[in-house]
Amino acid sequence: MTTARSLRVRYLIGLSAIALLVTTSFVTMQHVVSQQRNFAQIVNLAGQQRGLVNRLAYFASQMATTENQTDFDQARAQVGRTINRIEDNHRLLREGSPEAGIPRITSPTLTTIYEDPMVGVDKALDSFLERARRVYATEMEALTPNNAAYIFLNVYGPYALEPMLDAVVDEYQRIGRQSILRIERFELGIWLAALLTLLLELILIFRPLEKRVTESIGSLEGAVAQLEETRGRLVSAQELAAVGDWQWNAQTQELSCSEQTHEILGITADSFELSLETLEHRVRPEDREHWKAHLEQASAQTNAGRLELEYRIQRPDGRERVIHQFMVAQHDPDGALISLSATLQDISERLELSTRLKKLSEHIPGFIFQYELRPDGSTRFPYVSQGIIDLYGLWPEQVHEDGAAAFTRIHREDVEHHTNGIYASARALRVWNDQYRVQHPERGEIWLEGNATPERLHDGGTLWHGYLWEITDRKRSEDQIRKLALYDPLTGLANRRLLRDRLEHALATSQRSQRHGALLMMDLDNFKTLNDTQGHDVGDALLVEVGRRVSNEVRAADTVARLGGDEFVVILEALDPDRASSQLKAMQLATAIQQALHQPYRLMDRGCPYQTSVSIGVSLFNDLSLGADELLRRADIGMFEAKESGRNRVCLFSEQREAEVHSRTSLIQELADAIQQGQLMLYYQPQFRPDGSLHGAEALLRWHSPSRGMVPPGDFIPLAEETGLILAIGHWVLNTACRHLNQIQRSGLHDQFSLSVNISPRQFADSDFLDKVEQALTSHAVPAQRLKLELTESSLFHDMDHAIEILEQLRKQGIGIELDDFGTGYSSLSYLKRLPLDALKLDGSLVADVVSDARDLAILRAAIAMAKTLSLTVIAEGVETNEQRAFLASEGCDLLQGYLLARPMPFDKLYALIEQATPQRSQDPTSELAHQLSQRRA
């Protein structure tokens, strides 16, 4: 006992010494880190001053050179902010800031650098900032590059102030290094003392303990092996059942848990010291009192038996889980608590699935159900969603075990055919579908439509899985259709004729009452797609439901009309005398209609719900000055803006948008005139091999309008495609390119030179496309091998088989086929393999960041490798830097195109370029070409 006590005392002394040394070392290290951080912040601040000086000089140059007031104001704002930042940084460097963790650093050298009366940074920086404030205060008309303050900023800053700031940075770095070096020397002494202490403990403490530990280990190994085997079986069983357990000893206050419990709680055994308090801390605050009451009940009641509880826990990673717990308590004969034992099971996934089903059923119109017909003729609803309350006036609990209550609500005239339909579906196991009336206790008579799929149960009964929804409005509309000639025969809404009468009446009423009204023009988005894919009957069902939903959103005094197709109109009357308030109400109602129409639809008993959106235009009125036609036109302009803005939007008519529509119409007409008057022209962007030799060029369309100047291609080419003018333009481009190819061929300058012509999707789909290409080649006597056609994915993948047939005919003539803009679409590699292509043209977006972006690099390499595998020529466009050019050449690109090499140019300049690149015209074509390209870039 004396020996053990002596060893224990020595052990505690040794541990205390190590703890003291380690703590001292830790504090020292923390001090080193703190010093390093503080000096790093100071050095960064000092370094920032230099960048801010250059920034201030840069934006002062922007102020002095710009002629745009907006740019001048933006540059002036930047100058002001930079002055403030320089002053703030200088104050922090000189005075320090405990709140920002920046100490005040002083040294003789640093004081000299800052306060020297001749070359001190304080004086130099004050002088520099004083000139900067003068520039900031100068207006744009008075500030010129000859301004004295501006010249001082651009000369004094880079050549005088920056070296001073560099000296400040160097001095701070020197002071920091010296301070940290002193602390590191002290830390080294601490570590040497710790090593010496460890050596003494090894000799005086651990060696004597080793013998005693070895003896104890031998006696425990057998017991440990047996316990490990038992524990392994228990852990395996808990993992299979996804159940954990814990036990708490009331005497020792110790809590032991299984590994599966740690897994459920999301913790590890060594990261948390488990106790009842730890378990309580994991319980969500909302459930904590309930959990504690559960423990108190088990602890206090000797005959409580097994107690059950569900509660939520919060894992350390933030995830919330739901736990199902069983607990039992063990008491001694006197009733004192001995221990608590519990099992835990994570039931989060099961509850989540149940919650999802419940939410889904609560948010769809109507209700979903399971309906069982037993062999003895009795019925029940094993499952029914909350929607039955709205349609039957019954709670789900009322029909779970007996469905008779639901049958009592069916209209007496419909009971017979409804029952016959159910039995017929059960006998033939075919889908049940029916429309019938229900007598709702509050809503009265309503119409329902149901659809359900039956299955046979093992006991001979039948179970249906189905869905019921209300069709009362549709039924009433159908009745009105037969009676009223002024209503749309499909939706029961007002037709065009009645709409005009109601609109003229609304205009007159608005003028008399001086209250504004509004006209909403609505068009369903992508309705044609539904008609084409699902049939017109499904489209009609959608229109009926849309009419019903719109009618439900408006007031009884408002008019809902269908103009035709998928266009609807709503007249809102007597909104408000104030125009702003009326506009707000109209927009709010339009938004409500938009949201209602965006909800899912069940159409023609199709399995999957259909969802659509609507574009709405809004126009206000308050008198007869506009007239019905003008009001409809304005609402239509608002709807057109909603369509062009991405669909599924509400847009108010604006005169600006009206002007844009007129401008668009005018641009289309001018484009048509430009085709006739020869205002279009072709520019060419040369394509080069990696060695710099000229290979060919791409034809690019340009339009020089007498009134608009050079019109960007992105402004008129989409309009040409949309209006069909692209066919005439494409025909002109083909003939012009072939005519230029003929001139190049007759000159004998370049035997292999070829031109690439872009083909639009609409041009490619033209039935006469092949004939037009052949006619252009023949009429200009151009070999087909000199012409390349560039097509995008959208031109080819719409009808793959037809595209392959056309391309094969083109290739038979010798025309090269290039897939343009590769990398911007969603190409299928299986389709790509089938296409008869000659070249793959990498889009400039892939090339732009290839040097700096690893993902772009990987994509580009994969595209090049794929093209090489398919034996395709690889063309890279958008080459703008030497790094891009070198990389693409090293990766095996066959042709390069971009501003680095040559900008688009008229044909006469292209012809001159070909002359200079022809070997007969130059001894060293590569160097001559490079010289000429550098001149063009300059």
Side-chain angles (χ1 to χ4, degrees), residues 26 85 102 139 189 213 300 304 319 328 330 363 445 486 536 541 554 597 618 662 742 752 896 912:
F26 175 77
R85 287 188 61 187
I102 299 175
E139 296 299 326
V213 171
R319 297 173 59 191
V328 293
Q330 183 181 2
H363 289 84
E445 181 181 296
L486 293 177
H536 289 277
V554 301
L597 298 186
V618 181
H662 288 317
N742 178 267
Q752 303 299 324
L896 306 177

Side-chain angles (χ1 to χ4, degrees), residues 231 257-259 261-263 266-274:
R231 179 178 175 277
C257 296
S258 66
E259 292 183 3
T261 300
H262 290 105
E263 182 70 24
I267 63 177
T268 58
D270 55 354
S271 61
F272 285 87
E273 182 178 350
L274 286 176

Side-chain angles (χ1 to χ4, degrees), residues 134-135 138 142-152:
R134 292 183 191 176
V135 171
T138 306
L143 184 61
T144 67
N146 296 325
N147 184 279
Y150 164 73
I151 294 174
F152 183 87

Side-chain angles (χ1 to χ4, degrees), residues 155-195:
V155 174
Y156 188 77
Y159 298 106
L161 187 56
E162 285 186 11
M164 298 180 189
L165 295 176
D166 288 340
V168 173
V169 172
D170 292 341
E171 179 61 17
Y172 278 128
Q173 289 177 335
R174 186 189 66 79
I175 295 172
R177 285 194 297 268
Q178 290 180 350
S179 176
I180 292 170
L181 183 59
R182 288 192 298 270
I183 299 173
E184 287 177 344
R185 289 172 180 167
F186 177 70
E187 182 184 10
L188 178 59
I190 294 173
W191 279 109
L192 291 175
L195 290 176

